[in-house]
């Protein structure tokens, strides 16, 4: 399965939604997030999707790189212009991780879990990562670019403190599979979740996310830029920050960092 993405097929399946109303395709680019930011700056519509078969400088969180061989995986970025307060910005990442988890579940009958803040895991291995970048003006959200990398037919052999091991759908189900249907499912689910957000239905989104979380209720270690926290992840707050109960019973609210599950 090394053929380029069939964008017309994808367009046929998703038919008119907000997310995916316009799809821009590149066979090779530096990063779809960079392309999406450029397009958004030039006025691209809410819901525009950028898809590439190959990235030469795929971006991960904390300046890491996202590695993916050509024509194997899903590499896409979605431009969103939501009507939500900037304090709810994390919900954009949440809906993307829920959409990826739902799409995997629908297409492959696999039950993925979401690792705070924005990774999708299957059986303790990372199958997808999300990188959200925002553009703000006077404390108002202009637009967000939500970049999704999903290992469908290949995964890098990395194992480190942060990523744990990577995995692909193909290695789980035992065969390579088409990227079109799963991309369509992600966009369809994302569209419906995005409508929820714009309608102010934050609770239903948060509940779905918590239901799929591999972190809530567990003992975790969180490595932030300059600190390490250990405790029990008890919930996420209204802004999507992780609430941790420390050993001494006090609570710490954490807005970014990498989580490792401490005792598993
Ligand atoms: C992470 O887990 O660190 C986030 C990885 C996000 C990767 C995707 S691939 C498509 C989009 N374009 C990029 O350059 N990055 C995101």
């Amino acid at each position: 399965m090394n053929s380029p993405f069939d964008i017309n097929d994808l367009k046929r399946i998703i038919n008119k939604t907000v997310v995916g109303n316009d799809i821009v395709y590149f066979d090779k680019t530096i990063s779809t997030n960079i392309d999406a930011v450029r397009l958004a700056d030039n006025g691209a519509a809410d819901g525009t999707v950028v898809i590439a078969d190959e990235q030469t400088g795929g971006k991960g969180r904390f300046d890491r790189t996202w590695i993916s061989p050509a024509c194997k995986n899903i590499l896409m970025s979605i431009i969103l212009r939501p009507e939500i307060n900037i304090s709810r910005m994390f919900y954009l990442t949440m809906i993307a991780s829920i959409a990826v988890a739902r799409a995997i579940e629908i297409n492959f009958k696999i039950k993925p879990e979401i690792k705070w803040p924005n990774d999708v895991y299957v059986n303790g291995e990372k199958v997808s990562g999300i990188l959200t970048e925002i553009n703000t003006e006077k404390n108002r959200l202009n637009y967000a670019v939500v970049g999704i990398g999903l290992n469908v037919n290949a995964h890098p052999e990395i194992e480190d403190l942060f990523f744990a091991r990577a995995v692909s759908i193909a290695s789980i189900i035992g065969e390579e599979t088409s990227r079109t249907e799963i991309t369509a499912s992600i966009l369809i689910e994302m569209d419906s979740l995005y409508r929820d957000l714009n309608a102010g239905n934050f609770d239903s989104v948060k509940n779905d996310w918590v239901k799929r979380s591999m972190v809530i209720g567990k003992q975790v270690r969180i490595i932030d830029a300059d600190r390490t926290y250990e405790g029990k992840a008890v919930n996420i707050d209204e802004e999507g920050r992780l609430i941790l109960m420390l050993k001494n019973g006090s609570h710490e609210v954490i807005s970014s960092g990498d989580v490792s599950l401490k005792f598993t």
Side-chain angles (χ1 to χ4, degrees):
M1 296 243 180
N2 281 322
S3 38
F5 218 105
D6 188 340
I7 295 297
N8 288 329
D9 218 20
L10 177 66
K11 285 183 176 164
R12 251 194 311 278
I13 305 175
I14 61 172
N15 212 357
K16 298 228 177 299
T17 52
V18 174
V19 175
N21 67 73
D22 193 10
I23 299 179
V24 179
Y25 165 77
F26 297 100
D27 54 355
K28 190 172 178 168
T29 187
I30 298 171
S31 151
T32 56
N33 265 35
I34 294 176
D35 296 321
V37 165
R38 193 190 60 244
L39 290 167
D41 284 341
N42 287 316
D46 188 20
T48 300
V49 176
V50 180
I51 293 182
D53 271 321
E54 188 180 359
Q55 295 184 134
T56 53
K59 301 201 286 179
R61 292 173 66 229
F62 301 122
D63 288 332
R64 297 175 195 139
T65 49
W66 185 259
I67 301 159
S68 172
C71 296
K72 289 286 187 188
N73 296 325
I74 295 173
L75 305 165
M76 70 177 169
S77 302
I78 305 167
I79 297 169
L80 299 175
R81 301 183 183 275
E83 291 154 24
I84 58 172
N85 189 283
I86 196 164
S87 66
R88 301 280 193 172
M89 176 203 111
F90 184 66
Y91 279 79
L92 301 172
T93 305
M94 281 165 76
I95 61 169
S97 53
I98 298 170
V100 170
R102 283 187 187 172
I104 294 173
E105 206 171 306
I106 292 166
N107 285 273
F108 307 105
K109 313 277 177 283
I110 299 168
K111 229 174 163 19
E113 291 180 301
I114 301 172
K115 188 164 146 195
W116 184 88
N118 51 5
D119 294 335
V120 180
Y121 273 62
V122 176
N123 300 328
E125 297 179 324
K126 178 166 167 170
V127 72
S128 172
I130 292 154
L131 177 67
T132 301
E133 300 184 68
I134 55 165
N135 180 293
T136 58
E137 204 179 301
K138 295 198 180 105
N139 221 18
R140 214 188 130 263
L141 187 62
N142 268 342
Y143 66 80
V145 164
V146 181
I148 300 174
L150 171 60
N151 298 331
V152 179
N153 290 317
H155 63 274
E157 295 298 331
I158 39 171
E159 180 170 10
D160 67 23
L161 179 63
F162 303 117
F163 284 159
R165 276 171 54 81
V167 74
S168 63
I169 301 284
S171 68
I172 300 164
I173 64 172
E175 59 182 356
E176 294 208 357
T177 183
S178 152
R179 293 174 291 166
T180 315
E181 284 80 15
I182 178 141
T183 305
S185 299
I186 294 171
L187 296 179
I188 290 166
E189 294 302 323
M190 185 82 181
D191 187 66
S192 131
L193 288 154
Y194 188 48
R195 280 170 208 271
D196 284 341
L197 279 197
N198 279 329
N201 296 332
F202 298 106
D203 281 352
S204 72
V205 171
K206 184 178 158 187
N207 291 342
D208 194 340
W209 189 93
V210 168
K211 202 179 78 193
R212 296 169 190 277
S213 167
M214 72 186 279
V215 165
I216 304 298
K218 303 257 175 64
Q219 291 290 335
V220 296
R221 175 179 293 129
I222 298 182
I223 300 161
D224 203 352
D226 45 24
R227 272 194 70 179
T228 298
Y229 307 87
E230 287 187 357
K232 183 176 177 185
V234 286
N235 206 345
I236 53 167
D237 72 4
E238 296 313 306
E239 297 183 12
R241 297 174 301 188
L242 192 66
I243 306 170
L244 211 62
M245 190 170 79
L246 307 179
K247 262 207 199 99
N248 63 11
S250 67
H251 289 85
E252 189 85 44
V253 179
I254 296 160
S255 52
S256 81
D258 274 308
V259 179
S260 63
L261 295 179
K262 215 178 122 196
F263 300 124
T264 54

